[in-house]
């Protein structure tokens, strides 16, 4: 088995602004595993606030003894136990391996990855396209171009939140998913805003306030007319139980929970606690999005828009039909290179 990792810079079609920063590009690590003439792909896309970098991902992958990760010899669970024995954290690096190994295992077993989890294509939720914080004319332009999407995710947490929503509403009447990215700092004002947003057709709000402020987020969640979803506060399986006391739901992201294997456990745990589920992404190519799409049918909402926000996706874009990503019926994740790699 051959494992090759390389850094890759994703270029964004528009500068992407959220409550705390704006950026034009995003560096990821792409992984390629070759085994018995098969090629499988994985991807690590790092969240700034979790401390991983392309270098730390490359370093982690370099410490792996490939004899320990052969999926014909060891189960995915065994491989995760081995990866966790090397170092804690490093969840994006572990997700890259997890994704590539699922792709490889599907190809070896002649199964699409979603069939490995008995995930049902007909249960696929709508996926939103995210509109970052921007000038109203740019927001209107982005929303106009997003007509293939039947839900729009709006980033708020700026002094111009109502203007942003008004700009979106001038162009579309689709449901709105709201993400404040911890950008609001007064729970009463946040709740007033959420009532206003609900009147504008918002379906839920992600992470209204600082992830450490459980009481404020919990108070908002208790009093809100629409579900409040933990995102920055949610990382791994062990977080789910505590979050159930403070939020109506959680946003599952493969890069934070080390891939499909733990992501599936997060979903099972969240459902057992009565939580709503959203599945989201970082700035990602079709590779990590195809992996998240495997679990998306178990969730209420999906925000898997990475491939539509970048200009140099090295893989063919997922197929979108009626606002829903279509699960790929090819073996593994069914990824095809576009030749840009
Ligand atoms: Mg979010």
């Amino acid at each position: 088995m051959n494992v090759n990792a390389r850094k890759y810079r994703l270029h964004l079609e528009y500068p992407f602004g959220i409550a705390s920063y704006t950026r034009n590009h995003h560096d990821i690590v792409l992984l390629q595993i070759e085994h018995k003439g098969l090629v499988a792909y994985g991807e690590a896309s790092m969240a700034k606030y979790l401390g991983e970098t392309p270098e730390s991902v490359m370093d982690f992958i370099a410490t792996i003894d490939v004899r320990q990760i052969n999926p014909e010899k060891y189960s995915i669970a065994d491989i995760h136990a081995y990866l966790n024995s090397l170092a804690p954290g490093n969840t994006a690096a572990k997700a890259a391996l997890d994704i590539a190994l699922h792709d490889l295992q599907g190809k070896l077993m002649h199964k699409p990855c979603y069939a490995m989890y008995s995930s049902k294509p007909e249960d696929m939720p709508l996926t939103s396209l995210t509109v970052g914080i921007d000038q109203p004319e740019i927001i209107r332009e982005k929303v106009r171009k997003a007509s293939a999407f039947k839900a729009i995710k709006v980033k708020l947490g700026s002094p111009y939140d109502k203007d942003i929503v008004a700009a979106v509403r001038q162009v579309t009447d689709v449901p709105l998913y709201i993400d404040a990215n911890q950008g609001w700092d007064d729970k009463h004002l946040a709740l007033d805003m959420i009532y206003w947003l609900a009147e504008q057709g918002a379906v839920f709000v992600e992470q209204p306030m600082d992830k450490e402020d459980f009481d404020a987020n919990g108070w908002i969640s208790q009093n809100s007319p629409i579900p409040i979803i933990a995102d920055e506060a949610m990382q791994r399986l062990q977080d789910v139980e505590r979050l159930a006391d403070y939020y109506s739901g959680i946003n599952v992201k493969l890069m934070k929970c080390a891939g499909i294997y733990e992501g599936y456990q997060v979903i099972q745990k969240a459902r057992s606690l009565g939580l709503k589920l959203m599945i989201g992404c970082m700035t990602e190519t079709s590779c990590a999005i195809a992996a998240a799409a495997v679990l998306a049918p178990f969730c209420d909402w999906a925000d898997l828009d990475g491939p539509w926000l970048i200009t140099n996706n090295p893989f063919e874009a997922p197929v979108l039909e009626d606002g829903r990503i279509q699960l790929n019926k090819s073996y593994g994740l069914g990824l095809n290179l576009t030749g840009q790699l």
Side-chain angles (χ1 to χ4, degrees), residues 153 155 179 181 206-207 231-232 251 253 278 303:
K153 179 161 136 172
K155 294 286 196 181
D179 192 353
N181 287 112
E206 263 179 77
Q207 205 63 60
D231 182 9
E232 282 86 345
N251 186 351
K253 287 183 177 164
M278 163 185 189
D303 176 39

Side-chain angles (χ1 to χ4, degrees), residues 117 119 252 254 259-261 263-264 267 279 290-299:
Y117 285 86
S119 177
V252 187
L254 298 191
I260 301 172
Y261 170 75
Y264 182 71
I267 287 169
I279 188 156
V294 165
L295 300 181
F298 299 116
C299 301

Side-chain angles (χ1 to χ4, degrees), residues 156-293:
L156 297 182
S158 80
Y160 321 105
D161 286 351
K162 288 191 176 179
D163 299 333
I164 290 171
V165 173
V168 173
R169 274 291 171 246
Q170 282 162 7
V171 182
T172 185
D173 57 3
V174 300
L176 302 182
Y177 303 167
I178 303 293
D179 192 353
N181 287 112
Q182 317 179 78
W184 295 331
D185 52 16
D186 177 303
K187 67 181 182 182
H188 297 281
L189 293 178
L191 189 63
D192 287 348
M193 178 63 87
I194 292 166
Y195 267 94
W196 181 81
L197 289 166
E199 287 168 13
Q200 309 304 311
V203 176
F204 62 80
V205 175
E206 263 179 77
Q207 205 63 60
M209 292 185 57
D210 190 311
K211 68 186 168 93
E212 302 299 341
D213 197 340
F214 281 85
D215 289 337
N217 284 300
W219 180 85
I220 292 171
S221 193
Q222 266 179 3
N223 292 289
S224 170
I226 52 177
I228 302 298
I229 308 295
D231 182 9
E232 282 86 345
M234 166 62 206
Q235 272 129 51
R236 304 206 67 175
L237 180 60
Q238 64 263 25
D239 299 325
V240 180
E241 194 149 359
R242 182 174 183 206
L243 292 171
D245 292 336
Y246 298 92
Y247 292 87
S248 355
I250 56 169
N251 186 351
V252 187
K253 287 183 177 164
L254 298 191
M255 294 301 147
K256 295 200 286 187
C257 64
I260 301 172
Y261 170 75
E262 187 174 313
Y264 182 71
Q265 294 173 64
V266 165
I267 287 169
Q268 303 290 104
K269 178 82 181 168
R271 283 298 189 212
S272 78
L273 294 165
L275 285 164
K276 294 275 188 194
L277 276 159
M278 163 185 189
I279 188 156
C281 63
M282 311 293 177
T283 301
E284 294 172 359
T285 76
S286 301
C287 176
I289 294 299

